[in-house]
Amino acid sequence: MFAAAHYAQFAVFVMACWGLGRTVLAWLRPPSRRDAWLEAAMAAALGVGLYICAFQALAIFGLFRREATLGLIGAGVVAAAWQWRGWRADVRALRAAAPAAAPWTRYERIAAIALALVVLPALVAPLAPPAAFDELMYHLPYARLVAQQGTLGIHDWLRYPWFPYNYNLLYAAALQVGDDVLPHFLNGLAGALSVLMIFRLGILHANRLTACIGAAIWLGMGDYANALIDMGVALFVLSAFVALWWWRESEPLRDGTRWLSLAAFCLGVAAGSKYQALIFLPLVAVFVVRHERRVLRAWAPALLCFLIPCIYWYARNAIMTGDPFNPIGARVFGFSEWVPADYVQQVADVRDHAEMPNALIWSVFLAPFSVLWKRSAAVRAAGWFCLYSVAVWVVTSRYPRYLMASFPLLAVTAAVGWQALFSGIAAGVRRLRGAKAAAPVGPRSGAGIGDWVVVLLLAVLAAVSVGQTATKVSMISLTPEAREAFLRKHVPGYGVMDYVRRNVTGRVYQIALNEAIYYGPNPIWGDTLGRWRYRDYLLLSPGDTARKLAAEGFTTVVMSPEMVKVLSVRPGFDQYYGLLHEQDGSRAYRLLPTTAP
């Protein structure tokens, strides 16, 4: 029942998103190249974006309440019911007009089965309780505050109080109508829609095997057990790419301006969710300006559509701090919440986590050697997008998660590369044996050695997926006792944070327990960066630290086991801090009455 209840709520929201998005897409008229399932995925993605804008507008005016959320979702469900008959008629008409498809070959069927197995972990992973670092540090705490208060605010006790929080508004809505597992499903929705888009793009512009490989790679790389926002950003970047290609295929381009505006809207939703989405604007601008230079008729509507989802965040920051990109624009616009040392520490932390991305996408550099590269302009466009994304990523961060917005297109382009690699190897083997060179891989080509090697790769991925499914199932907590045990095992400091939340009423300062603050009191102060940075307190003597905290209204301090070992042995510590609670090595102390120096 636990899983069924969550999937039922999820299905209702998906239906509402599709209904709202389909209503708008029907008004925009269909693209030149029709695909019912790609259009359905785009409709759902557009609906997600429209809901984000609606929630943002409500929260700006302090009206973001449970009743308003349910009313908007209900309107989407009504729209879905209204659009259902028309969509079914479109599907039948497209099937009737489409040429007869070639039968699925044996290796294509095997690839499809492998893909189905890769889906399994993604189906069960969202059911786990929140336990990922960043979702507990600021994504869910921010969403909970918005859900409770019904308005947007600046919360300086969070790690990034000035960031754009578009996708987090979905999590706030989920917390209004459900529990804290439901946001995982909205993160998973972004992954599911982008997987469907990748699969349909692979079939449209390459072949079924490419579609299965690309979808499997992106499924394997996605993380469905948390409420982060990277997959949401990836969905809207991919949706913008699809809309741009619809615009590029429109004949003439004048009639496709609607798709340019849709692409701009999707980029605006992405840019209003994470600053990293801004890196795609130069590439899109170059792509568009090659084909469209009409400012008033094309660029002006597109710019407006881009600004609608994201202008609030950037304008607010610029007005209140002088830095529209606070805090990453500090070197240009001046420091406000952060100091230069915070900036240096953040950059150093990103560099410390720099590493190569998942090896499954390395073959993207082999895509230009594929016959699909020569045949399909869409494949070439995806390839140039990937090369640009990787180049910018290498120059700026080399932190794998900052590349996730490009992962869906990297996955499908890497699939083209894998086919080129294995087909080339197979052709070389046949030449060495004196056999005829292999025929190019195409939608109707027979199975060659290279194809079977690719299928074997998918089979290995599927086998790993089955093992991961068992792990994800073990993380599901059906009872309060199971949830408690899971969180104590996976969230350092959960026990003491939960105790303080239930028993302490004053202001609480936490030390090195950032990754558990969602389970602590709301709000709770203390971080490595920003106004409440640890070094401003912990470099003082125990007495000076206690007096500083007391002067700022704090009554309680909680700290990780590592910090307990360091701080509790400092001379004079026991004169200022009294033990309240200890669990799993973490401790909570109350501030004792201090004597002025």
Side-chain angles (χ1 to χ4, degrees):
M1 289 300 296
F2 179 80
H6 284 85
Y7 267 104
Q9 291 176 296
F10 174 68
V12 169
F13 185 67
V14 173
M15 186 187 310
C17 290
W18 177 83
L20 200 60
R22 163 76 183 177
T23 301
V24 175
L25 283 186
W27 176 69
L28 291 177
R29 299 189 305 274
S32 300
R33 187 186 303 213
R34 303 295 306 276
D35 183 273
W37 289 105
L38 179 59
E39 292 173 32
M42 282 291 289
L46 176 57
V48 173
L50 293 173
Y51 271 114
I52 286 173
C53 291
F55 295 153
Q56 183 191 115
L58 288 173
I60 288 172
F61 294 103
L63 302 174
F64 188 26
R65 303 293 180 186
R66 184 174 187 272
E67 296 76 16
T69 298
L70 291 175
L72 286 173
I73 294 174
V77 172
V78 171
W82 182 264
Q83 290 291 330
W84 176 253
R85 181 176 297 179
W87 182 74
R88 289 295 301 160
D90 279 355
V91 170
R92 287 193 293 267
L94 289 175
R95 285 178 179 172
W104 284 62
T105 61
R106 180 183 300 178
Y107 72 94
E108 288 174 341
R109 289 196 296 269
I110 294 174
I113 294 172
L115 175 60
L117 293 175
V118 175
V119 170
L120 293 178
L123 293 178
V124 298
L127 292 164
F133 50 102
D134 281 3
E135 71 170 331
L136 301 183
M137 189 187 303
Y138 56 94
H139 288 299
L140 286 181
Y142 180 87
R144 180 174 59 189
L145 269 179
V146 174
Q148 292 172 346
Q149 299 176 357
T151 187
L152 300 178
I154 307 300
H155 309 292
D156 64 359
W157 55 275
L158 290 173
R159 168 69 63 90
Y160 304 113
W162 298 97
F163 265 29
Y165 280 107
N166 266 352
Y167 210 82
N168 298 80
L169 297 179
L170 295 178
Y171 302 155
L175 293 175
Q176 287 178 337
V177 301
D179 58 18
D180 57 14
V181 170
L182 194 56
H184 291 177
F185 283 82
L186 301 184
N187 173 61
L189 173 60
L193 290 176
S194 53
V195 165
L196 178 56
M197 289 184 192
I198 286 299
F199 184 78
R200 297 309 305 176
L201 287 172
I203 289 179
L204 280 173
H205 300 287
N207 55 57
R208 291 167 180 161
L209 191 56
T210 300
C212 290
I213 299 169
I217 290 175
W218 173 224
L219 269 169
M221 294 168 61
D223 192 347
Y224 294 81
N226 60 53
L228 306 184
I229 48 90
D230 300 277
M231 289 207 303
V233 175
L235 168 65
F236 285 102
V237 171
L238 176 61
S239 300
F241 179 89
V242 173
L244 272 177
W245 198 250
W246 283 350
W247 169 75
R248 181 65 183 88
E249 288 185 327
S250 59
E251 291 292 346
L253 289 178
R254 293 177 182 273
D255 296 331
T257 304
R258 61 192 185 279
W259 303 125
L260 183 59
S261 297
L262 176 59
F265 175 79
C266 292
L267 283 176
V269 176
S273 299
K274 194 163 187 173
Y275 288 138
Q276 279 76 12
L278 295 171
I279 68 170
F280 301 108
L281 296 185
L283 179 65
V284 171
V286 171
F287 179 80
V288 174
V289 79
R290 290 180 58 197
H291 307 287
E292 179 62 83
R293 292 181 175 85
R294 293 174 301 155
V295 175
L296 292 179
R297 188 165 180 181
W299 280 80
L303 179 61
L304 177 62
C305 290
F306 171 79
L307 292 176
I308 287 172
C310 67
I311 188 58
Y312 167 80
W313 309 105
Y314 295 93
R316 177 203 65 180
N317 292 359
I319 293 169
M320 298 183 70
T321 73
D323 179 6
F325 313 104
N326 192 317
I328 66 172
R331 286 186 174 177
V332 176
F333 299 97
F335 291 88
S336 54
E337 294 295 309
W338 284 13
V339 296
D342 291 337
Y343 192 95
V344 171
Q345 182 177 342
Q346 176 72 359
V347 172
D349 182 66
V350 170
R351 289 175 177 169
D352 288 342
H353 289 86
E355 59 181 345
M356 295 292 288
N358 194 303
L360 289 172
I361 62 173
W362 291 1
S363 63
V364 70
F365 297 105
L366 300 176
F369 301 99
S370 168
V371 294
L372 293 172
W373 182 276
K374 300 173 184 177
R375 292 177 179 177
S376 172
V379 171
R380 291 194 297 274
W384 287 115
F385 170 91
C386 294
L387 294 176
Y388 170 86
S389 301
V390 172
V392 172
W393 172 78
V394 168
V395 171
T396 55
S397 71
R398 291 178 290 111
Y399 179 33
R401 194 149 59 89
Y402 287 176
L403 188 61
M404 186 173 284
S406 304
F407 275 0
L409 282 173
L410 281 168
V412 73
T413 309
V416 174
W418 283 119
Q419 286 184 276
L421 173 64
F422 292 127
S423 294
I425 292 173
V429 170
R430 279 192 287 267
R431 281 195 296 270
L432 287 175
R433 292 177 178 176
K436 217 180 222 187
V441 175
R444 297 178 183 272
S445 61
I449 296 175
D451 298 326
W452 284 111
V453 174
V454 172
V455 170
L456 179 61
L457 177 67
L458 275 172
V460 171
L461 193 60
V464 173
S465 174
V466 172
Q468 288 182 344
T469 301
T471 301
K472 301 299 184 184
V473 169
S474 68
M475 297 169 65
I476 300 174
S477 303
L478 299 179
T479 64
E481 294 76 18
R483 178 183 166 99
E484 177 86 9
F486 173 84
L487 293 175
R488 287 188 61 180
K489 180 179 179 181
H490 292 89
V491 179
Y494 165 76
V496 72
M497 280 290 195
D498 184 61
Y499 172 85
V500 170
R501 178 183 59 81
R502 289 184 288 105
N503 296 281
V504 173
T505 56
R507 285 173 60 133
V508 180
Y509 188 87
Q510 61 82 19
I511 303 173
L513 288 175
N514 314 62
E515 298 175 8
I517 66 172
Y518 173 70
Y519 293 109
N522 188 24
I524 184 170
W525 289 262
D527 207 331
T528 57
L529 309 168
R531 180 181 175 186
W532 307 101
R533 62 187 67 83
Y534 300 137
R535 60 179 175 272
D536 290 348
Y537 296 85
L538 304 186
L539 295 181
L540 305 174
S541 68
D544 288 341
T545 299
R547 283 186 283 271
K548 180 178 175 67
L549 289 169
E552 293 173 345
F554 291 101
T555 62
T556 308
V557 176
V558 295
M559 58 185 72
S560 68
E562 295 76 18
M563 297 309 298
V564 167
K565 295 175 184 178
V566 173
L567 299 178
S568 64
V569 298
R570 296 174 69 180
F573 181 86
D574 293 336
Q575 299 177 30
Y576 302 96
Y577 303 91
L579 182 64
L580 272 178
H581 185 73
E582 179 176 9
Q583 190 168 353
D584 300 327
S586 297
R587 292 182 183 178
Y589 292 92
R590 71 181 186 278
L591 293 178
L592 301 176
T594 58
T595 304

